[in-house]
Amino acid sequence: MQIVIFSAEPYDRLALDDVNRSFGHELVYHEAALSEKTAVLASGFPAICIFVNDQVNANVIQTLAQNGTKLIALRCAGFNNVDLAAADAAGITVVRVPAYSPNTVAEYTLGLILCLERKIHKAYLRVREENFALNGLLGSEMHGRVMGIVGTGKIGGLVARYFTAGLGCEVLAEDVYHNPEVIAMGVKYVSVDELFRRADIICLHRPLTPNTRHIINADTLRITKPGVAIINTGRGGLIDSAALLDSLESGHVGGAALDVYENEKQLFFRNLSEKVISDRIFRRLITLPNVLITGHQAFFSAEAMKSIANTTLENVTQFPAGKVDKEVIVSAR
């Protein structure tokens, strides 16, 4: 099948071309993101492949449908950037990669937490400047602390395992579904309010939905423990960034490690080193000494990229015969 791939970076091409040797699709790459202006680039292609920050609103859907697109294949798990109702109405099927390598994101989450709590990122910069003083680098060990995990799917469940079996933390969890494997680790499911009140570190692994948007906000931050750390490798919209900034500046929140940001679409996956970033909240966050931000790279491992490429191309392969796994289809219905 012919597939046009938007937001294509060199590493996307490398992974997709390598895996495509066993599929034989015709892949056409565009560095440009999908938007109302670029949707015409998909004219005549039955399938398109997109990433997290591509814009797939009702107008884009209409253009795609008019020009022959029948399948939107997300090479990611999240789908909040797609107007699913519009896709359903236009007869366009939307598929995703629900799970690629949960170890990749879970391990990165662990790395962010340890880096933040032991100030490794600050120490690294000091040593590069030949400053070996330890003042200001006093950290805290993890053993015995209370970890709160919001969302215990495959990634959250692995994070829970790391902190119970590996680091000896008390782990509290919140989720609609109480994962029996997580319970078997000794993790206690509690209400989100109790988790916020008791946790020393709050780690976010929920999908972004209308119910979870800004789950971290001024009100929920107000009930958290003084000095709490907020970790987000899930979705940027889970956090009200302005409220988090206020709590960091007041000293109530002790630190934050973020791999995602609610307004990242204008920032991440591009080199902006020669530009002035106009997002004042983001600009302030990156100046704070107790904030660690990375550019949405928790998913970025060789193993995950290969898995994402394989599932994406398998989804496209199965589509013409109507054999796409129901688990990968997303719909507003």
Side-chain angles (χ1 to χ4, degrees), residues 52-311:
V52 292
N53 289 330
D54 287 300
Q55 180 188 50
V56 200
N57 60 25
N59 290 335
V60 171
I61 294 289
Q62 183 179 18
T63 300
L64 293 173
Q66 289 173 347
N67 292 324
T69 296
K70 298 296 183 182
L71 178 68
I72 297 173
L74 290 136
R75 57 184 189 276
C76 53
F79 51 88
N80 53 283
N81 57 326
V82 180
D83 187 330
L84 296 178
D88 291 343
I92 295 178
T93 300
V94 181
V95 294
R96 65 179 182 132
V97 182
Y100 36 92
S101 179
N103 291 292
T104 290
V105 180
E107 289 172 7
Y108 193 86
T109 302
L110 174 61
L112 281 182
I113 294 171
L114 293 177
C115 191
L116 181 70
E117 292 298 306
R118 297 303 302 271
K119 299 180 173 58
I120 296 171
H121 58 301
K122 295 178 67 176
Y124 169 78
L125 293 175
R126 282 194 188 185
V127 170
R128 287 179 63 87
E129 296 176 351
E130 301 178 358
N131 177 357
F132 307 104
L134 297 182
N135 290 326
L137 297 181
L138 185 66
S140 301
E141 64 180 43
M142 298 301 302
H143 184 81
R145 298 177 75 190
V146 180
M147 165 70 68
I149 299 178
V150 180
T152 54
K154 293 182 179 180
I155 295 170
L158 283 170
V159 173
R161 184 179 301 281
Y162 297 162
F163 283 94
T164 52
L167 293 171
C169 297
E170 177 186 355
V171 178
L172 305 177
E174 185 278 332
D175 204 328
V176 176
Y177 172 70
H178 291 190
N179 188 336
E181 293 182 4
V182 172
I183 294 172
M185 300 173 197
V187 174
K188 180 181 179 183
Y189 278 93
V190 297
S191 68
V192 68
D193 283 356
E194 182 178 349
L195 185 147
F196 285 153
R197 288 190 176 94
R198 293 182 54 193
D200 297 308
I201 299 170
I202 297 172
C203 200
L204 303 177
H205 296 290
R206 290 284 291 275
L208 182 60
T209 67
N211 290 332
T212 61
R213 181 170 181 80
H214 287 181
I215 193 170
I216 298 291
N217 56 56
D219 292 333
T220 54
L221 286 169
R222 201 170 290 120
I223 67 173
T224 58
K225 295 173 68 171
V228 66
I230 307 294
I231 316 297
N232 191 4
T233 55
R235 293 288 177 266
L238 297 173
I239 296 178
D240 181 335
S241 302
L244 176 61
L245 177 60
D246 287 344
S247 290
L248 284 160
E249 291 185 326
S250 73
H252 179 76
V253 172
L258 314 173
D259 184 57
V260 288
Y261 175 66
E262 66 175 326
N263 296 315
E264 69 178 56
K265 182 178 178 180
Q266 306 304 321
L267 301 172
F268 291 176
F269 306 115
R270 65 191 73 182
N271 182 357
L272 301 180
S273 59
E274 300 298 322
K275 299 183 181 294
V276 175
I277 294 175
S278 60
D279 187 326
R280 294 183 181 278
I281 293 175
F282 184 83
R283 286 171 55 191
R284 178 58 182 153
L285 282 171
I286 61 176
T287 68
L288 299 180
N290 54 345
V291 173
L292 171 58
I293 298 179
T294 56
H296 203 139
Q297 71 176 76
F299 78 98
F300 197 48
S301 73
E303 295 82 1
M305 291 298 292
K306 182 176 181 179
S307 178
I308 289 169
N310 188 74
T311 301

